[in-house]
Amino acid sequence: MKISVIIPVYNTEKYLKECLNSILAQTLKDIEIICVDDGSTDSCQKILDKYSQKDSRIKIIHQKNQGAGNSRNNALKKATGEFVAFLDSDDAYPSNDVLECLYNAAKQNHVLICGGGFSNFTDNINQTTMNYDERLDGYLFEKDGLINYRDYQFDYGYHRFIYNRNFLLDHKIFYPDYRRFQDPPFFVKAMLTAQKFYALHKTTYAHRLEHEHPRWSARKTHDLLKGIFDNMKLAHTQHLEKLNKYSFYRFEENYPRIENFLNKKTLQIILDMQQYNDDIKKFISEHIKAETLPTKIFSIRSDFQNKHIIIRFFGLKIKLKK
């Protein structure tokens, strides 16, 4: 088996058929398609069962809702392909030769990871757009070629790549158990471990826009911050300045929804980020309300043996003898 295509599925009945059809139309036929029904409550299960009856390459895993990250991890452990690809159930491949091009390029250039360009579409997959600013400039490659990840340092668009399955398993590279932003930490860890990848100028993924209106919660907001923080810490310790900048961008653009769920836990993560990113310090002074700081940021307590006073302020810890 050359490629295992892994698809987490959760209540996307409107788009699931188009997604599956784009895989079945691929010119590379030596593939398996692992669909993880993550506790869907709509007609996704019926659609999956119908498709699997028609094509034996489609395998279905049914589970209680665990989130997209855990769904991908569960499928990865059961996959048999030499490489794995990850596709969301409301997205599609923009052309019929995507998997064949990715696989051939990976094999010919002896790489563990290979990927191409990222595109967006709304109602018509034949009308994709690729207009990106500096925050998303890593979505496209100007030409085919081998790239060292330290020269790239981008964090988004993991779905447009294929990954050697044994490489992921041997290095225990899985998605963290986050309900949001679990894919960038996976992507960065895989890239840093592989060190290099082969890039294609060709567009290899089409992401559907406009229909997404995720319901945010304290859990999702907390996980979003943890995912951003994971990459921020890694960028700092590995001296990846571009990745650190991208990580701040992800925080800044998501802050309006983070602000709606500010609590002690989320504030502490933001404060801890200051150690790894100077832009966060400036952001805190400009955007977090002053009246929030005394109750959420400042604390005094005694240590366990009652010999010291521990003062925490803006993420700084000061220990004083009594």
Side-chain angles (χ1 to χ4, degrees):
M1 194 72 62
K2 292 181 177 178
I3 297 181
S4 298
V5 182
I6 293 173
I7 313 170
V9 180
Y10 181 70
N11 290 352
T12 51
E13 60 182 4
K14 185 177 179 181
Y15 310 108
L16 183 55
K17 292 180 181 178
E18 185 175 15
C19 172
L20 293 172
N21 289 338
S22 80
I23 305 172
L24 295 176
Q26 291 294 302
T27 55
L28 183 67
K29 300 303 181 184
D30 189 14
I31 63 174
E32 67 177 353
I33 304 158
I34 306 178
C35 301
V36 185
D37 178 21
D38 191 31
S40 295
T41 57
D42 60 5
S43 63
C44 281
Q45 182 174 335
K46 292 182 180 179
I47 295 171
L48 292 173
D49 288 340
K50 186 176 180 179
Y51 269 75
S52 66
Q53 290 170 6
K54 293 181 178 180
D55 196 316
S56 61
R57 295 177 299 172
I58 298 177
K59 302 174 183 179
I60 306 172
I61 299 173
H62 296 288
Q63 63 182 36
K64 293 181 180 179
N65 184 257
Q66 299 178 35
N70 274 330
S71 297
R72 297 185 191 109
N73 290 340
N74 292 338
L76 176 58
K77 294 171 185 176
K78 296 182 179 182
T80 61
E82 182 182 359
F83 286 83
V84 293
F86 300 98
L87 180 67
D88 288 347
S89 58
D90 48 357
D91 296 338
Y93 288 123
S95 60
N96 294 344
D97 62 345
V98 164
L99 293 180
E100 185 172 13
C101 289
L102 287 172
Y103 181 81
N104 289 341
K107 295 296 289 183
Q108 291 167 9
N109 293 282
H110 310 289
V111 293
L112 299 168
I113 301 176
C114 179
F118 186 88
S119 64
N120 296 308
F121 72 104
T122 51
D123 294 330
N124 189 347
I125 194 173
N126 295 317
Q127 297 177 357
T128 57
T129 60
M130 293 170 283
N131 300 315
Y132 306 119
D133 61 19
E134 64 173 343
R135 299 181 175 215
L136 300 172
D137 54 8
Y139 270 152
L140 303 175
F141 300 110
E142 295 182 357
K143 59 182 180 179
D144 295 1
L146 197 64
I147 296 179
N148 188 311
Y149 181 70
R150 285 188 169 274
D151 297 327
Y152 181 57
Q153 297 187 29
F154 197 59
D155 57 344
Y156 271 8
Y158 73 102
H159 352 44
R160 58 205 162 103
F161 292 81
I162 61 171
Y163 307 81
N164 182 279
R165 181 176 60 87
N166 284 334
F167 158 71
L168 295 180
L169 295 175
D170 290 346
H171 292 276
K172 296 180 172 57
I173 300 173
F174 296 102
Y175 294 83
D177 186 19
Y178 301 157
R179 288 304 177 105
R180 300 293 297 183
F181 213 84
Q182 74 285 139
D183 38 302
F186 163 85
F187 181 58
V188 170
K189 185 177 179 181
M191 282 291 192
L192 274 175
T193 306
Q195 298 183 22
K196 61 184 179 180
F197 65 96
Y198 195 80
L200 295 177
H201 175 66
K202 179 183 179 64
T203 303
T204 57
Y205 198 85
H207 171 65
R208 190 185 301 272
L209 291 175
E210 294 188 355
H211 77 284
E212 295 179 328
H213 301 287
R215 294 182 179 180
W216 285 90
S217 63
R219 163 75 190 273
K220 289 180 179 178
T221 305
H222 185 252
D223 286 356
L224 167 70
L225 279 171
K226 286 170 67 177
I228 296 172
F229 194 22
D230 285 349
N231 279 355
M232 200 172 281
K233 286 187 288 186
L234 195 58
H236 178 80
T237 56
Q238 294 290 323
H239 308 291
L240 303 172
E241 294 182 8
K242 286 172 61 178
L243 177 60
N244 212 339
K245 192 69 175 180
Y246 284 129
S247 298
F248 174 73
Y249 288 158
R250 311 313 175 214
F251 169 82
E252 186 179 38
E253 65 195 6
N254 281 287
Y255 187 73
R257 54 182 63 97
I258 293 170
E259 190 175 25
N260 292 330
F261 294 95
L262 278 180
N263 55 37
K264 187 175 182 179
K265 284 186 176 181
T266 53
L267 276 170
Q268 190 57 56
I269 294 175
I270 295 171
L271 293 174
D272 290 342
M273 286 179 173
Q274 295 178 102
Q275 305 173 57
Y276 305 98
N277 190 294
D278 291 336
D279 290 325
I280 293 290
K281 296 178 183 178
K282 182 179 179 181
F283 187 92
I284 289 174
S285 65
E286 294 177 352
H287 295 276
I288 296 185
K289 297 178 181 178
E291 58 266 28
T292 306
L293 302 182
T295 57
K296 300 293 184 181
I297 294 177
F298 181 79
S299 67
I300 302 177
R301 68 176 179 85
S302 297
D303 64 1
F304 180 75
Q305 295 177 329
N306 206 33
K307 294 181 179 180
H308 297 84
I309 293 175
I310 298 173
I311 301 173
R312 290 181 180 273
F313 183 70
F314 272 92
L316 299 177
K317 179 179 176 182
I318 304 173
K319 192 173 183 180
L320 302 174
K321 276 191 176 183
K322 282 190 174 182

